[in-house]
Amino acid sequence: MLQFKVKEFEKALMNFEKAINLRPKEDVSIYFYSTAAALNLGKLDKAKQLFIASIQHRNALKD
């Protein structure tokens, strides 16, 4: 999180993805931070993938 706050988005994204792999359903906020890091890096496909994964893992209603 510190890397995200100091705008080291590449390192932050890498660490967020490691955390997601360890506990994919533990905390949805990590998906949003990783999505924000990917967007700041211009990685739109990665951001989309992470955002969709956050919805799938938290069992969001289809509505």
Side-chain angles (χ1 to χ4, degrees), residues 4 12-13 16-17 20 29-39 46-47 50:
F4 182 82
L13 180 58
F16 287 141
E17 287 182 311
I20 288 170
S29 67
I30 198 158
Y31 285 97
F32 295 119
Y33 283 111
S34 59
T35 300
L39 288 171
K46 174 59 82 176
L50 289 163

Side-chain angles (χ1 to χ4, degrees), residues 17-54:
E17 287 182 311
K18 286 180 185 178
I20 288 170
N21 289 333
L22 290 173
R23 300 182 124 184
K25 296 181 182 183
E26 190 69 26
D27 182 14
V28 73
S29 67
I30 198 158
Y31 285 97
F32 295 119
Y33 283 111
S34 59
T35 300
L39 288 171
N40 277 291
L41 293 168
K43 296 182 177 186
L44 301 181
D45 289 334
K46 174 59 82 176
K48 180 180 177 180
Q49 174 189 14
L50 289 163
F51 190 71
I52 290 171
S54 73

